[in-house]
Amino acid sequence: MATPMMAKPEQGSASGPTVWKAFLGGEWRDSSNGATATLIDPSTGEVIGTVPKCTRADAKAAVDAAREAFDKGPWPRMKPKERAAVLQKVAELLVANQEALSLLETRNAGKPIRQSSLFDMGLAAEHMGYFAELATSVRWHQKISQPDYEGTIGTVVKEPMGVCAGITPWNLPILMAVWKAGPALAAGNTCVLKPASLTPLTTLELAKLFEQAGLPKGALSVVTGSGEEVGDTLLTHPGVDKVSFTGSTEVGRTVLAKSSLTVKRTTMELGGKSANIILPDADLEKATDGALFGIFLHCGQLCESGSRLLVPAKEQEKIVARLVEKARRIRIGLTQDYETDLGPLVSDGQRTRVEGYIQYGLDQGAKLSFGGNRPDRPELRKGFYLRPTIFSGVTPDMRIAQDEIFGPVLSVVPYENVDQAVEIANSTIFGLAAAVWSEKEAKATRVAERLRAGTVWINDYHMLSCHAPRGGYKQSGIGRELGENALEDYLETKHFFYGRESPLIPIARALVVPPAAKGGNEQPPAA
Ligand code: NAP
């Protein structure tokens, strides 16, 4: 189905699958060798359309265009408030096109429509507006005193970094594109986005909104194609100054290694295995709702998903009974149905991977308390569905307690006391997020302080504020996105030293150039 904003003739027609083009250096183009990739609706298994499978040459052309736009184009030279106006316009266009974009996200990523319209699109517009505000709040020039050199002054100047590459995952396509392009462009950089191969569509639509909002040519490209080819080119191209990557820890390690060869600046937002801790005094009604929301939003395919539920051992049976009773009410369904709570996995491959983890759970002796298989309703058979799954009696060493599964699988891990709960919570390689449920906020805060995670919710889950920095401890990442310093990682810092009168300066210069009266000891060249 085509929507008004997708109805550009070159982007396909209303009937049949749509043919999308990549946005390379300000032009909508096919890949240089004509190769395409087919996109599937995870809910129905139907073909949605094709996108160009761009080559290394296409990725290189996009970087070269971004380099040119940075070195010679107007964008980095515009006033911050002029750049902010373009971003603000995009934020407004995101709102105006919310319905069409939600539908596209739903079809491409397999998100239930209620989630994509309320969560993804709402946040995308709000966050783009926030980055527009930040563009004007940067202290671009700051005079500093240099008391160590009395009589001199210095100026600290912030400048855009250059060409920024943004590589994004399939689970939050438009939001991640906004988190990459938004701060990079707000800071005056140019940007090349590489969306995930499975879900590039709303990122392409975002580029269209930037075009409409008047972003100069070449300042943004969207190169569709594989990580091995397009992603790799961005990591190794010397013309890229900064890489902002969101994806798995495994691929993140490769990204870091390759980016280091040309000493690129990096921001890494990686995987998670978040602990959701129910303390003995928690309100179990709220905590069990929060636990199910924590794990089953977007079918467990969120980096911060609360995939480990830590419960007091004595309460495990009671808590699991409540979880199961509530999980029965979760409505699995087609993603375009507004009643659907739980959609499919993003692909058949991802479903098979998650089923592998369900088998590990069984093999290692966890108790399957709910789900664990595919729904058998005929209308869901062509999609990539799995029932919400709850394991109990999980021990911290099991794979389902250590690995990021990225699917609708909750591991309930019992603990004996709070110290042990903290130890278990901190016992994975990840440190992205966590939550603590307790009727006593101060007590929950003391537990939260002991957790090695970048975000800790207290009596809540998933809530995201663009005013707060977000990122991971340990192998969940490097750096922070969002928050008032979100542009800092996209800026270089320069110091101007004005050598005015200072008693120290003649002394310092005399270290090399002796005062004229004393003369030097260099011998004149032989005649
Ligand atoms: P992924 O497999 O790591 O891929 C992420 C991106 O990297 C994709 O665009 C992928 O392209 C690209 N890529 C793959 N191999 C590459 C290579 N050798 N060089 C350069 N780029 C390469 O992750 P995913 O499966 O798409 O997404 C799920 C992961 O993202 C989970 O681990 C989740 O926790 C994480 N995530 C983290 C956050 C956060 O804020 N911390 C947010 C969302 C998601 P292809 O699609 O072509 O493979």
Side-chain angles (χ1 to χ4, degrees), residues 106 110-116 118-119 292-293 295-302 326-345 377 380 385-388 408 462:
T106 284
K111 276 172 197 266
I113 188 77
R114 244 171 48 239
Q115 286 175 27
S116 54
L118 289 176
F119 185 79
L292 295 174
F293 174 56
I295 180 63
F296 295 131
L297 184 70
H298 194 26
C299 211
Q301 302 171 115
L302 293 169
K326 290 180 182 185
R328 283 189 210 290
R329 304 205 301 261
I330 294 174
R331 292 162 300 189
I332 309 177
L334 293 172
T335 50
Q336 290 188 40
D337 181 346
Y338 266 82
E339 299 300 310
T340 292
D341 303 315
L342 192 85
L345 278 299
R377 293 200 340 248
L380 304 182
Y385 288 87
L386 261 187
R387 292 176 62 217
H462 286 309

Side-chain angles (χ1 to χ4, degrees), residues 57 94 384 459:
L94 281 166
F384 312 129
N459 295 324

Side-chain angles (χ1 to χ4, degrees), residues 2-227:
T3 60
M5 74 163 300
M6 289 182 266
K8 262 187 140 187
E10 72 271 22
Q11 292 289 69
S13 67
S15 59
T18 307
V19 177
W20 273 271
K21 291 181 189 285
F23 189 54
L24 306 178
E27 310 281 342
W28 291 96
R29 300 217 316 247
D30 294 320
S31 69
S32 48
N33 65 3
T36 59
T38 301
L39 301 175
I40 305 287
D41 181 336
S43 174
T44 60
E46 283 166 10
V47 170
I48 310 170
T50 60
V51 284
K53 205 168 172 198
C54 290
T55 60
R56 282 188 185 276
D58 299 324
K60 187 172 176 306
V63 174
D64 292 345
R67 190 78 255 163
E68 172 91 5
F70 184 78
D71 292 340
K72 300 180 188 154
W75 185 251
R77 287 150 201 93
M78 280 161 67
K79 293 197 173 80
K81 71 174 186 207
E82 293 170 330
R83 290 199 293 262
V86 172
L87 266 74
Q88 186 51 41
K89 179 75 186 156
V90 173
E92 287 159 19
L93 288 168
L94 281 166
V95 173
N97 291 286
Q98 182 156 359
E99 208 178 312
L101 284 166
S102 310
L103 182 58
L104 190 62
E105 195 83 309
T106 284
R107 293 175 68 221
N108 191 188
K111 276 172 197 266
I113 188 77
R114 244 171 48 239
Q115 286 175 27
S116 54
S117 51
L118 289 176
F119 185 79
D120 301 68
M121 295 309 145
L123 293 180
E126 185 191 345
H127 293 185
M128 187 60 84
Y130 181 66
F131 293 129
E133 274 175 38
L134 288 185
T136 54
S137 69
V138 171
R139 295 179 78 180
W140 295 96
H141 290 86
Q142 196 189 339
K143 215 180 234 188
I144 55 163
S145 68
Q146 299 171 152
D148 37 354
Y149 293 102
E150 192 193 325
T152 71
I153 57 156
T155 309
V156 174
V157 177
K158 294 287 178 187
E159 292 180 348
M161 219 164 234
V163 174
C164 299
I167 302 180
T168 53
W170 46 256
N171 65 330
L172 292 166
I174 196 155
L175 195 59
M176 293 301 106
V178 166
W179 287 13
K180 304 299 178 206
L185 292 169
N189 301 285
T190 57
C191 179
V192 179
L193 292 178
K194 199 276 277 185
S197 294
L198 290 171
T199 59
L201 296 184
T202 50
T203 306
L204 290 168
E205 295 301 320
L206 181 68
K208 213 180 287 176
L209 303 186
F210 269 108
E211 205 183 12
Q212 276 180 42
L215 185 75
K217 221 171 163 165
L220 176 68
S221 286
V222 177
V223 193
T224 50
S226 74

Side-chain angles (χ1 to χ4, degrees), residues 167-172 176 179 194-198 225-228 231-232 235 245-249 251-252 254-255 258 269-272 302-304 404 406 432 470 476 481:
I167 302 180
T168 53
W170 46 256
N171 65 330
L172 292 166
M176 293 301 106
W179 287 13
K194 199 276 277 185
S197 294
L198 290 171
S226 74
E228 287 76 21
D232 187 77
L235 302 180
F245 172 81
T246 300
S248 61
T249 296
V251 174
T254 304
V255 170
K258 292 203 169 159
E269 295 291 341
L270 308 176
L302 293 169
C303 47
E304 79 271 11
E404 184 180 46
F406 229 53
L432 189 61
R470 186 177 186 282
S476 283
E481 290 181 308

Side-chain angles (χ1 to χ4, degrees), residues 275-338:
N276 198 352
I277 306 174
I278 299 184
L279 293 182
D281 70 344
D283 174 332
L284 287 191
E285 188 55 23
K286 278 194 274 178
T288 48
D289 277 353
L292 295 174
F293 174 56
I295 180 63
F296 295 131
L297 184 70
H298 194 26
C299 211
Q301 302 171 115
L302 293 169
C303 47
E304 79 271 11
S305 291
S307 51
R308 293 183 295 156
L309 185 68
L310 276 49
V311 303
K314 280 190 219 135
E315 309 271 342
Q316 180 176 211
E317 211 174 305
K318 188 163 83 185
I319 291 173
V320 171
R322 276 205 204 205
L323 291 169
V324 168
E325 189 265 314
K326 290 180 182 185
R328 283 189 210 290
R329 304 205 301 261
I330 294 174
R331 292 162 300 189
I332 309 177
L334 293 172
T335 50
Q336 290 188 40
D337 181 346
Y338 266 82

